[in-house]
Amino acid sequence: MSLPAVAVTQTPEAKFREYLATRARAQRFTEQQREMVAYIFSQHSHFDAEELLDAMKRDGIRVSRATAYRTLAKLVDAGLLRRLEIGPRTHYEHDYGYPQHDHLVCTRCKKMIEFQRPEIDQVIRDVCSEHLFQIAGHTLFVRGVCAECNRARGNRRLDLV
Amino acid sequence: MSLPAVAVTQTPEAKFREYLATRARAQRFTEQQREMVAYIFSQHSHFDAEELLDAMKRDGIRVSRATAYRTLAKLVDAGLLRRLEIGPRTHYEHDYGYPQHDHLVCTRCKKMIEFQRPEIDQVIRDVCSEHLFQIAGHTLFVRGVCAECNRARGNRRLDLV
DNA sequence: ATTCTTGCAAAGCCTTTGCAACTGC
DNA sequence: GCAGTTGCAAAGGCTTTGCAAGAAT
């Protein structure tokens, strides 16, 4: 949420419907999908399947676990969500309408801080070019302790984990 | 395997025994652990639990699945192995005796190409410094198609996935 | 002797899937 | 009405764990 949004011309729902409609064999846009898309793009930035299910249940949106997983997969495929493979659960974040970025992940409070550094992409492009490696994408997480957690624990330890 | 080894003063086994001996409550060095350490540091560079079990079985080393997982955890804790959280299975690689590095991961043949780029660490340090974030480590994977696989498929597609 | 480790099988956790009922188009 | 979707519960894949037997110090 810390980065400026990218200009988009369609709503997430419109983009998803377009995705569904243009599959080799057209897929359907259901009530459950509509609710999920609306819910996800109204607030969440980073979440996993469990958190989403819990939050939706709290807000009275009834979608089964199976459907949630199936819809998340479609949203990723449609380019609306990005998968973040961190820890035991797959996390998701908005892709559509957000710029590419990487994350600082606090190991104490689990917070994710987004950042952008064009230099990193440049270095990656250079490396891949040297190796004749065709880039599809990258994953970069920096693990550590965020400023607040650091303050809270009184800077006791300065060693690396 | 592509990067030069770092000078180390102890054998992996010696370092592991030291780790075990210096725990709050001393842990024991067993025959199974000895065989695993010898096996892992005699050849493997990247592997997951299943591959290790299979390879050891092929070579007549009998260690149960549970013990393999338990020992891998200790080897990581001891600083002998590094965990690579990529895909559904946890992968491991040598940590002790190897320099820090990142990976290009071929999505076709699963090969991992190691590379080192001090600039990346520098950028990460800068970002963390700005955010008052205390770094514990980072994970960087670049997904894509390696030169050989690219050649094999005849450069048909140049689009990104 | 004591206490940690092993192996087995069972359980755990996250995610996927088979299938009958249902629903968007 | 056809073809894709849902929900349930069961299965899957990887990893962890309880426990009794065994081994290291």
Side-chain angles (χ1 to χ4, degrees):
Chain A
M1 303 301 248
S2 55
L3 304 175
V6 151
V8 291
T9 55
Q10 298 176 89
T11 62
E13 177 176 318
K15 181 162 161 85
F16 188 46
R17 299 190 71 144
E18 179 180 297
Y19 162 84
L20 293 173
T22 54
R23 294 308 85 193
R25 80 189 53 183
Q27 298 182 356
R28 292 167 190 172
F29 186 62
T30 67
E31 176 64 10
Q32 289 87 336
Q33 293 169 348
R34 193 187 59 65
E35 292 200 302
M36 279 186 65
V37 171
Y39 193 78
I40 289 170
F41 283 88
S42 73
Q43 44 193 301
H44 292 76
S45 184
H46 295 99
F47 60 90
D48 61 41
E50 200 61 37
E51 291 168 352
L52 178 64
L53 256 343
D54 285 355
M56 289 196 301
K57 174 176 286 185
R58 259 202 312 283
D59 291 1
I61 297 175
R62 300 216 326 296
V63 173
S64 71
R65 182 170 301 275
T67 295
Y69 275 104
R70 286 189 277 233
T71 302
L72 285 171
K74 291 186 182 187
L75 291 173
V76 168
D77 203 43
L80 289 173
L81 292 180
R82 238 189 308 255
R83 248 187 256 275
L84 301 176
E85 314 268 353
I86 185 175
R89 295 181 183 175
T90 299
H91 287 244
Y92 300 86
E93 67 175 4
H94 296 181
D95 185 347
Y96 187 61
Y98 276 82
Q100 273 198 219
H101 59 268
D102 297 301
H103 300 85
L104 307 183
V105 184
C106 180
T107 52
R108 293 183 84 80
C109 68
K110 309 300 177 197
K111 180 171 48 191
M112 295 207 202
I113 300 165
E114 303 175 350
F115 71 89
Q116 270 182 307
R117 284 288 184 156
E119 306 98 291
I120 288 180
D121 301 83
Q122 187 53 56
V123 174
I124 288 174
R125 273 194 296 276
D126 291 348
V127 172
C128 292
S129 162
E130 284 169 21
H131 287 271
L132 301 177
F133 187 91
Q134 192 171 330
I135 311 179
H138 78 259
T139 300
L140 169 58
F141 293 116
V142 180
R143 273 163 285 108
V145 183
C146 72
E148 292 80 61
C149 289
N150 236 319
R151 203 174 299 130
R153 75 207 270 220
N155 276 45
R156 279 179 287 120
R157 298 155 55 80
L158 291 171
D159 48 329
L160 303 184
V161 178
Chain B
M1 307 296 248
S2 54
L3 305 175
V6 151
V8 290
T9 55
Q10 299 176 91
T11 61
E13 178 178 317
K15 181 162 160 86
F16 188 45
R17 300 189 70 145
E18 178 179 298
Y19 162 84
L20 293 173
T22 56
R23 294 305 87 194
R25 80 188 54 180
Q27 297 184 355
R28 292 166 190 172
F29 187 61
T30 67
E31 176 64 11
Q32 287 89 335
Q33 292 169 348
R34 193 187 59 65
E35 292 200 303
M36 280 185 65
V37 172
Y39 193 79
I40 289 170
F41 282 88
S42 73
Q43 46 194 298
H44 292 75
S45 188
H46 296 97
F47 60 90
D48 61 41
E50 200 59 37
E51 290 169 351
L52 178 64
L53 256 343
D54 286 355
M56 290 196 300
K57 175 178 283 184
R58 260 201 312 282
D59 291 2
I61 297 175
R62 302 215 325 294
V63 172
S64 72
R65 181 169 300 276
T67 296
Y69 275 104
R70 285 189 278 232
T71 301
L72 286 171
K74 292 185 181 188
L75 291 173
V76 169
D77 203 44
L80 289 172
L81 293 180
R82 239 188 309 254
R83 247 187 258 276
L84 301 176
E85 315 267 353
I86 185 176
R89 296 181 184 176
T90 299
H91 286 244
Y92 301 86
E93 68 175 3
H94 295 183
D95 185 347
Y96 187 61
Y98 276 82
Q100 274 198 216
H101 58 268
D102 297 301
H103 300 87
L104 307 181
V105 183
C106 180
T107 53
R108 294 183 86 79
C109 67
K110 307 301 177 198
K111 179 170 47 190
M112 294 208 203
I113 299 165
E114 303 174 351
F115 70 90
Q116 270 182 306
R117 283 291 185 155
E119 307 97 293
I120 289 181
D121 302 82
Q122 187 54 55
V123 174
I124 288 174
R125 273 195 296 275
D126 291 348
V127 172
C128 292
S129 161
E130 284 169 21
H131 287 271
L132 300 178
F133 187 89
Q134 191 171 330
I135 312 178
H138 77 260
T139 300
L140 170 58
F141 293 116
V142 180
R143 273 163 285 105
V145 183
C146 71
E148 292 79 63
C149 289
N150 235 320
R151 204 174 299 132
R153 76 207 269 221
N155 278 45
R156 279 178 288 120
R157 298 156 56 79
L158 292 171
D159 49 327
L160 303 183
V161 178

